[in-house]
Amino acid sequence: MPFDRIVIRRPDDWHVHLRDGAMLKAVLPFTARQFGRAIVMPNLKPPVTTTADADAYRGRILAALPDGVSFTPLMTAYLTDGTDAGDLARGFADGVFAAAKLYPANATTNSAHGVTDIARIAPVLERMAEIGMPLLIHGEVTDQSVDIFDREAVFIDSILAPLLERHPTLRVVLEHVTTSEAVQFVRAHAASGRIGATITAHHLLINRSHIFQGGIRPHLYCLPIAKRETHRVALVEAATSGDGPFFLGTDTAPHTVTAKEAACGCAGCFTAANALEVYAEAFEDAGALDKLEAFASLNGPRFYNLPVSEERVVLERRPSVAPDLILVSEGDAVLPFRSGETLRWSFGGTV
Ligand SMILES: [Zn+2]
């Protein structure tokens, strides 16, 4: 029974939404419990666009950490049409920024400030390429005439491929990939060492049919939306290959139950409460638990030129129950992914 207990280097989460205020306080302990570091998304209201914003936000995150928990937030800048390349470069040099995030305008939650035309930020991208600052991309076109299930593949062809050609040394992470096209694209560019891709836990487990199983399941609605089964299989293959460009990024994105269970519900799955347990399940189902450490703990730091963790965590193959509602404030709560369900794995903490 070699895999009833796995000890791996402490993982990092390369794509997290921590929000702010009461929500930050409610959700941060879950991410910080399992992960040593996290790339923190900048889509607050208003977004984190400057070094000063990021420095202040990092301070609020550190202040919200439970006592005795070691956790390093890695901050990102929200690119806009008006991003100041000088400020960005200074923030990166000073260790405030780890990366910058490109949201096509209106692609997802709080992205109304995003970049309206990528050509407008060419000087910023040139500067980022020069200094080796990674560009993190939400890879979906926002054209409402493009079918929602095709928006990632169309983005890759029409925007990402030309972008990589225009900026041949820019380092890019295609975030939360959901399609076989994305996996193929990343593999085709893998030799350059300048492209990475994060894969969420929920996209390894659900396909688009799950969103409509027995009725509409608002808590499984996220962006990019889950695709058909062939794509999920491609994601599992990529994640469990252990190959360098693919690494863990949960895209855990808390919204209150009232915001999710509404006539026009928000996009996002809150997976931080049991992320490693869920990933372990996906890797076990693929017979690839021996690749979990590469995906969760090694490939990400290598891409970001950071040291791998010297801490170790343990996962045990004994049932655990995903947490129930998490209270944010009076009358507001977040429902974790697979809440109330029994999971096959348990997180045993650091060892
Ligand atoms: Zn996200």
Side-chain angles (χ1 to χ4, degrees):
M1 297 283 238
F3 289 128
D4 278 353
R5 185 171 185 272
I6 324 171
V7 177
I8 58 173
R9 282 178 192 269
R10 190 172 181 205
D12 306 296
D13 188 341
W14 301 98
H15 189 129
V16 166
H17 297 271
L18 292 177
R19 314 300 190 205
D20 214 342
M23 184 67 94
L24 168 65
K25 272 206 157 57
V27 301
L28 176 63
F30 294 99
T31 291
R33 184 174 78 104
Q34 297 197 329
F35 299 100
R37 293 166 289 202
I39 284 277
V40 180
M41 289 296 139
N43 59 330
L44 303 181
K45 292 180 198 170
V48 175
T49 57
T50 65
T51 300
D53 291 344
D55 202 33
Y57 184 30
R58 182 169 64 178
R60 297 198 296 281
I61 294 168
L62 293 174
L65 264 183
D67 285 344
V69 174
S70 76
F71 172 75
T72 305
L74 302 171
M75 310 309 291
T76 58
Y78 187 114
L79 295 178
T80 69
D81 288 349
T83 294
D84 174 351
D87 177 68
L88 202 65
R90 271 190 302 279
F92 184 65
D94 292 347
V96 177
F97 284 133
K101 178 81 188 278
L102 174 70
Y103 290 98
N106 300 314
T108 187
T109 306
N110 301 344
S111 62
H113 299 266
V115 171
T116 55
D117 178 355
I118 203 160
R120 292 195 183 184
I121 57 161
V124 172
L125 299 181
E126 264 159 46
R127 190 70 179 274
M128 288 175 62
E130 271 167 39
I131 61 178
M133 184 176 190
L135 176 70
L136 317 183
I137 298 182
H138 182 113
E140 287 192 290
V141 292
T142 55
D143 180 348
Q144 295 296 306
S145 70
V146 176
D147 189 282
I148 188 169
F149 294 101
D150 297 334
R151 286 177 194 166
E152 183 174 282
V154 171
F155 180 91
I156 289 168
D157 282 347
S158 64
I159 297 178
L160 182 58
L163 176 77
L164 291 182
E165 268 173 39
R166 284 200 304 278
H167 300 279
T169 58
L170 183 63
R171 310 191 68 239
V172 167
V173 181
L174 188 55
E175 298 290 338
H176 41 55
V177 291
T178 59
T179 58
S180 58
E181 287 90 341
V183 169
Q184 279 162 23
F185 184 87
V186 170
R187 285 202 179 285
H189 290 77
S192 69
R194 67 169 174 129
I195 187 157
T198 52
I199 303 179
T200 76
H202 53 286
H203 286 114
L204 293 179
L205 289 201
I206 66 163
N207 63 39
R208 64 189 190 179
S209 293
H210 290 100
I211 306 169
F212 307 102
Q213 201 166 39
I216 192 156
R217 308 277 184 152
H219 295 280
L220 299 184
Y221 170 61
C222 64
L223 290 174
I225 197 162
K227 308 298 192 296
R228 61 169 68 238
E229 177 65 6
T230 49
H231 295 289
R232 189 194 68 83
V233 169
L235 299 177
V236 170
E237 182 279 322
T240 61
S241 68
D243 293 344
F246 300 106
F247 39 88
L248 186 158
T250 61
D251 194 19
T252 179
H255 291 284
T256 61
V257 171
T258 37
K260 290 289 288 176
E261 297 175 7
C264 187
C266 292
C269 296
F270 178 65
T271 51
N274 43 35
L276 287 179
E277 296 90 322
V278 174
Y279 277 113
E281 224 171 274
F283 275 67
E284 183 180 38
D285 288 344
L289 281 170
D290 59 325
K291 298 290 176 28
L292 182 60
E293 185 175 44
F295 175 75
S297 317
L298 305 178
N299 295 345
R302 276 187 197 132
F303 182 87
Y304 279 90
N305 292 319
L306 292 169
V308 298
S309 177
E310 289 305 326
E311 293 177 286
R312 300 283 193 290
V313 298
V314 62
L315 281 157
E316 289 159 341
R317 200 146 73 76
R318 60 180 165 79
S320 63
V321 178
D324 222 338
L325 280 176
I326 292 160
L327 199 64
V328 177
S329 55
E330 175 109 32
D332 268 337
V334 172
L335 191 72
F337 183 64
R338 301 190 67 191
S339 178
E341 288 180 42
T342 301
L343 306 171
R344 292 203 301 268
W345 289 82
S346 297
F347 179 67
T350 49
V351 285

